[in-house]
Amino acid sequence: MKRSVLLALLIMPVAGVLASDKVYVDLPGGNFKSTLQYEDLKGPQKVPPFSLMRKPVTNGEFLAFVKAHPE
């Protein structure tokens, strides 16, 4: 398979997510292995599926959130 075709096949799913008008993107989860050593965590950890905002939160947006929800 040519490199350009392989690269296109790898980029298409990412391009689809970026072109979406959804505020959140659903991620499948999976196993995570940290490079840090923790006494209470041994081996890969299971991460459940979750949603992530497509647009990063700005410092101002975060400050407004914290002021609105000081708890």
Side-chain angles (χ1 to χ4, degrees), residues 59-71:
N59 288 340
E61 290 169 332
F62 181 67
L63 179 60
F65 173 82
V66 170
K67 285 182 176 180
H69 305 279
E71 66 278 2

Side-chain angles (χ1 to χ4, degrees), residues 18-38:
L18 294 176
S20 172
D21 59 350
K22 290 175 56 176
V23 175
Y24 286 86
V25 175
D26 295 326
L27 299 174
N31 290 321
F32 172 75
K33 184 177 181 194
S34 177
T35 58
L36 303 175
Q37 298 291 323
Y38 292 102

